[in-house]
Structure formats: C-alpha cells, structure tokens
C-alpha cells in the first residue's frame, strides 16, 4: 500500500493537477504551469530516489500529468496508475529515458517527454573537464596538496599527458559527442577519430575547416577520421569519450577485452550511462594499468560504485553532474513542464526537439507546443507547423 508523501502546493485551485516528483531548479517552470490553470504539487520528501509506491501515492486518484526523474522506474505499474488517475502526460527531466518503458506508456496512452537540446554544451563541457582533469591528474594533485604533502617542486611530480597533437576518440558522435569533439579539437588541437553508425557530416566539415585555418596560420593542421569499427577508436585514441545511448547493443560496450585494446596511458571518459562500461572489469584494468586514467560521471549501479573503484587514484568520479549548470537545469525543468502542459492542453508536438530556444526565452511566452515527445508517432500526435 502506498504511503503518503510530503508535498508543496502551488495554485491550489488550478483545474489540472500536475505532480513533480522532485523540486526542480528555477521558478519559471512553476509559473508556466500555474498561469495555465494547473495546480502544481511538488514532492518535498527527503528521499533521493522515490520508490514506485511513493510515486503511486503522489499520483493518487486524479492526476493530469507527472514530471519525473531519471532515478525512477517508470514502467507498467506507474503508467497504469497514471492512466487510472486520468493522466496522459509524463516527462522525464532528462534527455535520456532508459528508466522509462515507452511501450508501456504508449499502451496506456501516456505521452513521454524528454529534454533534448538544452544539455548538449553543458554535458560536453563536463566530459572535456574530466578529460583534462584526468590527463593532468588534477584531483590527485589537489588531494596531495591538501594533505600537506607538497614540500617542493620535483621533476616527476604528477606528470600527466599533453593533449595537443594527440588523438581524441569519440564513440557516439551525436549532439553531445560532436560538441565534445569540437571542444577538444578546437581547444587543444587534437586530431579526431570517431565511431558512429551515422556520418557526423557537420563535425567533419568543422574539423576540415579548422585544419585549413591552422595550416594557413602556419600551424600543424588537425585531422579527422571516421572509423569503421569501434575497436579502431579504442586502439588509436589517446583520450576516448563515450556518448552512445544505453540500450541492449551498448550494454557493457567497454568490457575487459576492449579495455585491453586501449593504450596503456589512455584516458577514458563516460558521461553517457554507467552500464555502457563493465565497471568491475574497469576496476581490474585500473589496478593493472596505473597510468590508464578514467573520468566517470555515471556508474553501472547508481548511486553505488563497484568495489575498489573509490580507492583508485587513477579514477576521477563525480556524481552524475554532467548536465548540472544552472542554465541547463532550469531549461530542463522548463522543457519537462512544457511537455506535460502541452499534452494536457492538446498542443501539437514541436517539429525539431533539438531547436528548443523559443521555449527557453524568458522574455516571451513559449510556443504552444510540446517541446519533445518520444512516443509522439506511436500515439499519433500531430506535429507543430510552427
Ligand atoms: C540526462 O538528461 O539524460 C542526463 O544524464 C542528466 O544529466
């Protein structure tokens, strides 16, 4: 039996009841909902990960839509509960939705929203930060300093890797992977090798043009290559960043065998989803190869780390913060709220979910559309002409 959970209520007399399973950054998202006759209930329970029962209790008997989080298990039970309560709208406050059973949602006629287009640069910047921190051993050096161990400059102290002229490898060159690649190529003059099922034409053009610019300025040009296998990237790159979506084909994409293909001093970064790496195999690899370094934002069984990972000096670990810039998190909250609002109001679905700027402009009302509904086609929702 579901237990009651604590909530904060906005616009108590609103016609539509919208629940957010967590307080979210900013206030615009609340205003956008209350201005459109929504009663907004925000769960304030001091519990990081809500259980299915907690969420069922929040949904209650009458609920028009829910904004949820990537830590929650949105499957058959929750979508049938939401549908019973009259709800037809759900949005994850995330671009990834591997926590959502989209088929179950579709079966119950519930639209599933996500928040692309607003995380790209922020996530790529974290991947770049982890690449830099790992290559220059920033965290190890910081700990050493704070521990009072620094007693003078030494030729061998925290020697790391130079990025300039090295090769950056990107696995999954979609929006975030391409933005990361550009940062590393443009910022550090690294050469690029990437693997993706689709050709990253814009990225290739950018690296070509940048290479020509450098050449014309008398500098060594940067180069790019699209690898025909992922293994080529693993073998050749000095820094590798993972940006695939998590599905059956990418589960444990980086396993013991593939780790052994990588250079002994390579750097591996993961800001996608934890299960893309076999974390137990990674711990063993880190133990056996002290100069191999890793920067991880995500973990196989969040919020936990596999035994031994926390003890590894050659691992930098941060708690799933890749999208954690104020602008992005407020934007994600806004897009999630507008997905739910749009479905409640019967608005069409925005034609390009990656071009979400019009929804984020604080100085004008957002378009009358749902920014991004992943099962729009399956539900037969109309596309916006705007
Ligand atoms: C997402 O949106 O999928 C991210 O992982 C959140 O940081």
């Amino acid at each position: 039996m579901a237990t009651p959970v604590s909530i904060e209520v906005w616009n108590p007399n609103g016609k539509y009841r919208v629940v957010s399973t967590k307080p979210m950054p900013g206030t615009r998202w609340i205003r956008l909902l209350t201005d459109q006759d929504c009663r907004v209930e925000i769960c304030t329970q001091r519990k990081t990960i809500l259980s299915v029962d907690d969420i069922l209790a929040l949904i209650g008997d009458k609920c028009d839509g829910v904004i949820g989080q990537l830590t929650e298990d949105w499957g058959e039970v929750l979508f049938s509960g939401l549908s019973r309560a009259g709800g037809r709208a759900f949005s994850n406050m995330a671009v990834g939705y591997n926590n959502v059973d989209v088929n179950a949602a579709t079966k119950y006629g519930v639209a599933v929203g996500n928040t692309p287009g607003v995380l790209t640069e922020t996530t790529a910047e974290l991947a770049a930060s982890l690449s830099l921190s790992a290559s220059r051993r920033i965290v190890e050096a910081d700990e050493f300093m704070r521990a009072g161990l620094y007693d003078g400059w030494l030729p061998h102290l925290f020697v790391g890797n130079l990025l300039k002229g090295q090769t950056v490898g990107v696995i999954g060159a979609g929006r975030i992977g391409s933005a990361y690649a550009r940062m590393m190529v443009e910022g550090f003059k690294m050469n690029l090798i990437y693997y993706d099922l689709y050709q990253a034409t814009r990225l290739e053009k950018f690296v070509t043009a940048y290479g020509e610019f450098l050449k014309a300025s008398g500098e060594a040009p940067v180069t790019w290559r699209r690898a025909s296998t992922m293994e080529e990237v693993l073998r050749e790159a000095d820094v590798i960043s993972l940006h695939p979506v998590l599905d059956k084909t990418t589960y444990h994409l980086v396993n013991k065998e593939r780790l052994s293909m990588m250079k002994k001093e390579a750097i591996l970064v993961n800001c996608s989803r934890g299960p893309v790496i076999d974390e137990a195999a990674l711990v063993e690899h880190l133990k056996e190869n002290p100069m191999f370094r890793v920067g991880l934002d995500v973990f196989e069984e969040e919020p936990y780390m596999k035994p031994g990972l926390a003890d590894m000096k050659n691992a930098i670990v941060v708690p799933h913060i890749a999208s954690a810039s104020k602008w992005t998190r407020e934007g994600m909250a806004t897009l999630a709220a507008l997905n739910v609002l749009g479905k409640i109001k019967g608005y069409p679905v925005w034609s390009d979910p990656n071009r979400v700027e019009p929804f984020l402009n604080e100085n004008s009302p957002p378009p009358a559309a749902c920014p991004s509904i992943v099962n729009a086609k399956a539900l037969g929702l109309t596309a916006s002409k705007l």
Side-chain angles (χ1 to χ4, degrees):
M1 189 54 204
T3 45
V5 279
S6 56
I7 51 163
E8 174 184 302
V9 180
W10 293 75
N11 193 27
N13 298 322
K15 177 172 167 195
Y16 309 104
R17 180 169 176 261
V18 173
V19 166
S20 172
T21 62
K22 282 274 173 266
M24 299 190 292
T27 51
R28 183 168 179 246
W29 71 272
I30 301 174
R31 217 173 44 249
L32 288 168
L33 289 168
T34 53
D35 283 357
Q36 295 291 325
D37 212 4
C38 295
R39 168 190 166 105
V40 178
E41 294 187 18
I42 304 171
C43 176
T44 50
Q45 191 88 354
R46 287 189 155 274
K47 185 176 180 190
T48 305
I49 302 180
L50 294 184
S51 67
V52 165
D53 276 354
D54 294 332
I55 300 172
L56 278 177
L58 280 169
I59 291 171
D61 299 333
K62 190 231 170 238
C63 179
D64 295 285
V66 178
I67 302 166
Q69 301 297 324
L70 59 82
T71 45
E72 298 157 6
D73 182 8
W74 278 87
E76 181 79 26
V77 177
L78 287 181
F79 286 118
S80 64
L82 179 57
S83 157
R84 264 196 313 276
R88 294 289 176 268
F90 166 78
S91 184
N92 234 19
M93 184 209 165
V95 64
Y97 50 91
N98 55 295
N99 61 312
V100 180
D101 181 344
V102 180
N103 290 333
T106 306
K107 180 171 127 192
Y108 290 101
V110 178
V112 173
N114 71 336
T115 65
V118 72
L119 299 97
T120 310
E121 302 296 324
T122 296
T123 304
E125 283 181 12
L126 199 269
S129 310
L130 289 174
S131 306
L132 248 71
S133 306
S135 62
R136 299 303 302 272
R137 307 174 62 182
I138 305 285
V139 176
E140 276 178 90
D142 177 276
E143 281 171 0
F144 175 88
M145 197 73 195
R146 288 171 200 272
L149 297 173
Y150 181 53
D151 56 5
W153 189 92
L154 281 172
H156 285 293
L157 197 59
F158 293 112
V159 170
N161 306 358
L162 173 71
L163 296 180
K164 186 176 178 196
Q166 302 275 296
T167 299
V168 61
V170 172
I171 293 176
R175 294 181 297 267
I176 299 172
S178 288
Y180 166 83
R182 279 187 59 154
M183 286 172 195
M184 303 308 285
V185 168
E186 194 174 358
F188 303 102
K189 303 193 176 71
M190 298 186 81
N191 298 311
L192 171 68
I193 179 166
Y194 79 93
Y195 176 72
D196 198 296
L197 295 178
Y198 301 97
Q199 186 174 8
T201 317
R202 289 181 64 185
L203 176 61
E204 291 176 0
K205 280 189 182 151
F206 168 79
V207 184
T208 303
Y210 187 52
E212 279 162 10
F213 167 80
L214 290 173
K215 207 165 158 188
S217 324
E219 292 184 63
V222 286
T223 61
W224 63 266
R225 190 161 77 76
R226 180 181 176 198
S228 49
T229 63
M230 198 181 85
E231 285 74 12
E232 276 175 63
V233 177
L234 295 175
R235 284 196 185 95
E236 288 177 33
D238 301 286
V239 178
I240 294 159
S241 192
L242 304 173
H243 299 279
V245 285
L246 173 64
D247 60 21
K248 275 187 268 178
T249 65
T250 58
Y251 175 79
H252 282 191
L253 193 74
V254 177
N255 55 16
K256 183 176 185 323
E257 190 194 346
R258 291 201 169 115
L259 283 163
S260 69
M261 293 174 185
M262 296 175 67
K263 294 182 181 176
K264 295 277 179 222
E265 299 201 352
I267 284 158
L268 177 66
V269 169
N270 189 13
C271 291
S272 61
R273 286 291 183 262
V276 167
I277 299 182
D278 176 346
E279 206 170 291
L282 176 67
V283 173
E284 288 314 304
H285 192 77
L286 287 165
K287 282 184 190 158
E288 284 158 21
N289 299 277
M291 293 314 288
F292 181 92
R293 291 193 287 276
V294 69
L296 300 176
D297 179 49
V298 286
F299 304 88
E300 194 169 340
E301 284 168 31
E302 279 182 36
Y304 309 107
M305 285 188 275
K306 290 280 180 193
L309 183 58
D311 301 324
M312 301 311 303
K313 290 268 177 226
N314 46 348
I316 296 178
V317 288
V318 295
H320 205 148
I321 54 167
S323 65
S325 72
K326 184 173 180 290
W327 183 81
T328 290
R329 287 283 167 91
E330 289 185 5
M332 290 164 77
T334 296
L335 295 177
L338 291 174
N339 280 330
V340 168
L341 178 69
K343 182 64 175 54
I344 290 173
K345 292 279 193 176
Y347 294 160
V349 178
W350 193 240
S351 53
D352 184 352
N354 295 312
R355 302 181 70 87
V356 289
E357 296 79 11
F359 295 94
L360 303 175
N361 182 353
E362 307 229 352
N363 302 317
S364 62
C370 302
S372 177
I373 300 293
V374 300
N375 56 347
K377 218 168 167 185
L379 289 175
L381 303 179
T382 345
S384 164
K385 298 214 165 41
L386 292 171

